[in-house]
Amino acid sequence: MKLEFMNKLIVVLVITMLVNVTITKAQVTSDTLAVEVKTTSYRSNHVAIGYHVNNFAHDFGYGIGLTSPYFALNTLAVRASCNFQWFNYIDKTTTTYSMASYQNIKVGILSSAFILNKGARLYGEMGAVILVCPSTITSTNISSGGYGLFGFEFFIHKGFSYFIELGAIGTKTKADNVTAIPIFSNGFTTSGGLRLYFKGKH
């Protein structure tokens, strides 16, 4: 069921990316070519670093992300993030409530389009995820999967933005060293944070 949901989400994200590229291409080839190139070549299309807090299927965490310069008519970019999550569980030996940290590393491609006179950006993102987990909760120390999300980015100042992301992640990683052997880092995800865009050549 969750695999079917992830497949549907990927299809929607691909369609979103194609629509964004088509819209931007039409804008660039319109009568406002000079104005469009000028307005889309400011900081928001250059390298960015971000900080965020998140919730991956009930596992709270925080992380940092790095976004590449935008390409393909300023609609596509590559983004990587490293997230530090906490998994809540009941210890088998002490039967007490415990927490264990693990790393969630994501690398994906995103497609975006501006709205509200360049004051906001909508984007879709999908890619691969790698989990690095401690042996206290699972015998599978390293596992992989995929993720997809939709994001809303608001530019409150030139080169600075706040963002909100909603999506899903699928890894099928089991906490087989924990009572009831739950699957973790698999399901609905939310993130929120800020990004700082660096100056480019333009």
Side-chain angles (χ1 to χ4, degrees):
M1 190 71 181
K2 292 181 178 179
L3 182 60
E4 293 179 0
F5 175 74
M6 283 297 298
N7 290 336
K8 292 179 181 178
L9 181 61
I10 290 174
V11 171
V12 173
L13 288 169
V14 170
I15 294 173
T16 302
M17 289 182 177
L18 293 175
V19 171
N20 286 340
V21 172
T22 303
I23 292 174
T24 305
K25 185 175 181 180
Q27 291 175 339
V28 171
T29 55
S30 69
D31 296 335
T32 59
L33 175 62
V35 176
E36 196 65 29
V37 171
K38 182 178 179 181
T39 55
T40 58
S41 62
Y42 68 137
R43 284 193 189 185
S44 59
N45 290 322
H46 296 145
V47 176
I49 187 169
Y51 172 81
H52 53 267
V53 293
N54 51 52
N55 188 310
F56 294 166
H58 306 298
D59 294 348
F60 174 78
Y62 67 92
I64 56 174
L66 181 66
T67 306
S68 74
Y70 280 73
F71 56 92
L73 302 176
N74 289 324
T75 61
L76 302 179
V78 176
R79 180 168 292 152
S81 65
C82 183
N83 306 280
F84 302 89
Q85 307 298 123
W86 278 271
F87 174 71
N88 303 315
Y89 68 100
I90 298 177
D91 190 278
K92 283 184 176 180
T93 57
T94 63
T95 64
T96 58
Y97 187 78
S98 303
M99 298 177 67
S101 64
Y102 66 92
Q103 284 73 54
N104 179 304
I105 302 169
K106 299 192 302 180
V107 179
I109 188 168
L110 62 94
S111 174
S112 70
F114 281 102
I115 61 172
L116 301 178
N117 194 26
K118 310 298 181 182
R121 172 159 44 203
L122 305 181
Y123 58 89
E125 180 181 341
M126 63 180 181
V129 58
I130 295 177
L131 301 184
V132 182
C133 309
S135 57
T136 53
I137 59 176
T138 178
S139 60
T140 307
N141 298 116
I142 298 179
S143 59
S144 60
Y147 76 95
L149 60 85
F150 292 104
F152 309 85
E153 191 171 13
F154 306 95
F155 292 89
I156 61 173
H157 189 272
K158 186 176 181 179
F160 184 82
S161 70
Y162 283 100
F163 65 90
I164 300 172
E165 297 175 340
L166 305 174
I169 185 172
T171 63
K172 294 185 178 180
T173 306
K174 293 183 178 180
D176 51 8
N177 291 336
V178 173
T179 303
I181 314 180
I183 295 176
F184 65 99
S185 209
N186 192 88
F188 184 68
T189 66
T190 60
S191 297
L194 54 87
R195 290 193 185 100
L196 175 64
Y197 287 83
F198 297 95
K199 285 185 177 181
K201 296 181 180 180
H202 302 288

